[in-house]
Every structure is written in structure tokens, then in C-alpha cells.
Amino acid sequence: MIDYQNLRIGILGIGEMGAAVGGQLRKLGCPVLVDLENRSSKSHNRAALHDLTPSTFNSVLSESVLVLSIVPPKEALGVAKRAAEFLSTSTRKPLYVDCNAVSPDTKKAMEIIFSEFGISFLDSGIIGGPPSTFYNPTFYISGPSQLITIFSQVSIPSNPSSEGGLKIKVAGDQIGAASALKMSYAGISKGYFGILAAMTLSAKRYGALHALLKEFSDNSPERLDSVAGLSDILRPRVHRFDGEMMEISEFLDGSLDFESGDVEGGKVVAGREGLIYEGFAALFGRIARGQMGEGIEWDELEDISRIAKEMKEAERL
């Protein structure tokens, strides 16, 4: 039997995902500490909703057995460095699990930083959205088996007496495997959103949007469905996508840097397939700024999704 009441968990990052994950752990009976220093009223409200204990960055690290980092991708490495710096002089060192959408190379850099100070580290990638009453995302993890065993204490019990716990699957025994899986999955799913956004925006600006959507309706109705739902998908999360796209770009450049690269001017050069995702990062950044009133792309995308929805509705009549 696991004594959940003495399995204190710390969470760095109190966005929708971090707060909901904390709620799942509270349902197991684990005390959950969250860093609420200088955080907004929304963050405080999320913590209260899920019965999470307000704390500070340093206290989350020093008072927890297990710490989950669930922050925006562009902040993940900086948070890891800050945590390692504090824990380097602490007598109590938790297992640090980075759950962020960053590249395998970034996770390996974190591993080096933490190992220098004797801090245990696991790689995790979350597939899916925030947990809810009827849904759990999957936490893929990779690293040493003994550390996976520790983290697995918070998995959904085989004979659950509550709705708590995390859905955990092992991706491999090396740091980088879980993040490689996450990068691959997100590159496909969010890359598709990027393609839809880029191509429909371009079609609209050249007066071809209605013809494109009609072609989807006639021969690829699932794509019309995707366009109709695009603004709803992007609205709450596109502000996080630019950092994640840059991590996927780094992942591709590393994984596809074959010895037999392209030939330019008689010389073999490394490929830059990651540039695809740098383009998506720029596009998602513009869309996110449009949500803040600093561009027209967001308003255009909402209009595109509206037109697609109206076309679908008209065809039902």
C-alpha cells in the first residue's frame, strides 16, 4: 500500500494543465504544493479549485518528494537551471520530472545540469489535454528504471477507490525517449494545424478561400471539419505553440542530420528540415499576437472557421 498522505508532490507551473494534474494527485490523497509567488488571481483560483497548497518556488523544491515541471516550453530550461541552483545546496533533493514539450537535446542538457548536483531526473512528455472527470492524458516517461518506479507511485491504481492518479506509460530507459515521442506526436498534430492556418489564410488573401473550402466539402469533408474547428482549437493554446515549434525544429535538425546530407556546390551539407517548424513558430506567434490586437491573422482565422461552419450547416439543409 502506498502512503499517499506522505507522498508530497510539488508542481512548478500552475496553468490549466499543471493545476488539473495537481487535482488528479490530490484525488489520490497526495499533498500538492504549487508555486504561487507573484502569480495572477487566475492562478490562485486554479489552485483553490483543485485544493492545491500555495507555496513558493524554493519551498516546492525543498518540501516535496517528487517535483513536476509543467511550464511553457520556452521557460522549461530556465526553470530547470533555477531549480538545480537552489537544490545544489539543499540536503533534501526530490526527483525532478520535466514534463514539458521540449526537444530531447534540451532534456539531456537538463540531465547534465541536475546530475552535477546529485539530483535525480526523469524525462516526461504529456500527450493530450488537461485531465478532467472523464479524461486523462498520458504521461510518457523515460529514464532509469528505479526512478520510473518512484514516479509510478502516482499512477492510476489498478483497483482505484478514487478517480485520482496519472495515466503513465514508459517510453524507454534513456533520457530523451519520452520527449522524442512528444515532439513527434506534436509535430504531426500541431503541424497539421499550422498547415491549415497557413494555407487557408493564403487562400483567403488571394480570393480563393470559398473555392478551397468547397473542394474540401466535395472531396475531403474531414478537412472542412478541421477548418471549421480550427479557431476553437487554437483559441486557448496558440500562445504556447511558438516555443514548442522551435523545440520541434531543433529535434528535427538533430534527428535528421544524416552523414549523407544534401549536396550544394559539390559539398555535402547538413539538412535543415527543422526550418519547416521555425515557419510554424513564426505563424503561431503572429496569430497569438493577433489575439492581443497586434495583427489581423487571428480575426482572419476566426472568419475562416466561421465560413467553414456555415458551409457545413448549409450542406445539411
Side-chain angles (χ1 to χ4, degrees):
M1 291 287 291
I2 299 172
D3 183 4
Y4 293 116
Q5 292 185 350
N6 286 316
L7 187 60
R8 184 169 296 190
I9 312 296
I11 294 182
L12 300 176
I14 190 65
E16 291 182 9
M17 178 67 80
V21 167
Q24 287 298 105
L25 298 171
R26 284 294 296 129
K27 291 175 184 177
L28 274 182
C30 300
V32 179
L33 279 64
V34 290
D35 173 21
L36 285 177
E37 277 187 300
N38 303 315
R39 296 305 298 261
S40 67
S41 59
K42 285 185 178 180
S43 296
H44 284 265
N45 291 339
R46 289 191 195 106
L49 176 66
H50 294 286
D51 192 28
L52 311 180
T53 302
S55 188
T56 64
F57 185 88
N58 290 350
S59 294
V60 166
L61 293 168
S62 63
E63 297 177 17
S64 301
V65 176
L66 176 67
V67 172
L68 309 183
S69 173
I70 308 176
V71 300
K74 63 181 68 174
E75 298 176 15
L77 184 58
V79 169
K81 288 178 179 178
R82 181 183 172 194
E85 181 179 2
F86 171 77
L87 290 171
S88 65
T89 59
S90 175
T91 56
R92 184 172 183 176
K93 294 178 170 58
L95 168 58
Y96 189 100
V97 185
D98 187 276
C99 305
N100 299 302
V102 298
S103 72
D105 286 347
T106 301
K107 294 290 180 83
K108 290 177 181 178
M110 292 180 188
E111 180 186 27
I112 292 171
I113 292 168
F114 285 116
S115 64
E116 182 179 349
F117 302 111
I119 303 163
S120 298
F121 176 75
L122 271 181
D123 175 14
S124 179
I126 306 173
I127 303 295
S132 61
T133 303
F134 302 105
Y135 170 77
N136 265 309
T138 301
F139 281 71
Y140 281 93
I141 53 173
S142 64
S145 59
Q146 67 271 25
L147 300 182
I148 289 175
T149 299
I150 294 173
F151 183 60
S152 296
Q153 292 180 93
V154 296
S155 61
I156 299 172
S158 55
N159 294 305
S161 57
S162 70
E163 298 175 348
L166 306 179
K167 184 180 177 182
I168 297 172
K169 294 184 179 181
V170 178
D173 59 3
Q174 296 184 3
I175 298 298
S179 51
L181 187 154
K182 170 64 177 179
M183 293 287 94
S184 301
Y185 188 96
I188 294 168
S189 60
K190 293 168 186 171
Y192 180 56
F193 300 151
I195 291 170
L196 286 177
M199 294 299 101
T200 54
L201 281 168
S202 297
K204 182 177 185 295
R205 292 177 181 184
Y206 278 87
L209 178 64
H210 284 82
L212 176 65
L213 296 181
K214 186 62 169 64
E215 177 63 24
F216 285 166
S217 178
D218 292 344
N219 295 304
S220 301
E222 71 282 356
R223 292 181 182 172
L224 184 64
D225 291 341
S226 296
V227 175
L230 185 60
S231 63
D232 291 336
I233 290 171
L234 294 181
R235 184 175 294 106
R237 54 182 68 89
V238 70
H239 65 280
R240 302 195 304 268
F241 282 6
D242 58 341
E244 188 171 349
M245 294 301 103
M246 293 303 295
E247 292 289 338
I248 295 173
S249 174
E250 180 182 314
F251 167 60
L252 270 188
D253 283 345
S255 61
L256 297 182
D257 186 13
F258 300 117
E259 292 182 4
S260 55
D262 296 329
V263 176
E264 291 182 5
K267 296 181 180 180
V268 177
V269 296
R272 280 303 323 274
E273 289 81 1
L275 286 172
I276 302 167
Y277 286 89
E278 288 188 23
F280 287 150
L283 174 62
F284 286 137
R286 288 167 61 186
I287 293 169
R289 290 192 294 276
Q291 288 182 319
M292 306 297 292
E294 298 176 12
I296 62 174
E297 284 80 8
W298 175 247
D299 289 341
E300 286 184 294
L301 273 181
E302 285 201 308
D303 193 40
I304 288 167
S305 287
R306 177 187 58 78
I307 293 169
K309 290 175 182 176
E310 290 174 353
M311 184 174 291
K312 285 178 58 181
E313 186 63 29
E315 290 177 352
R316 293 194 188 102
L317 299 178

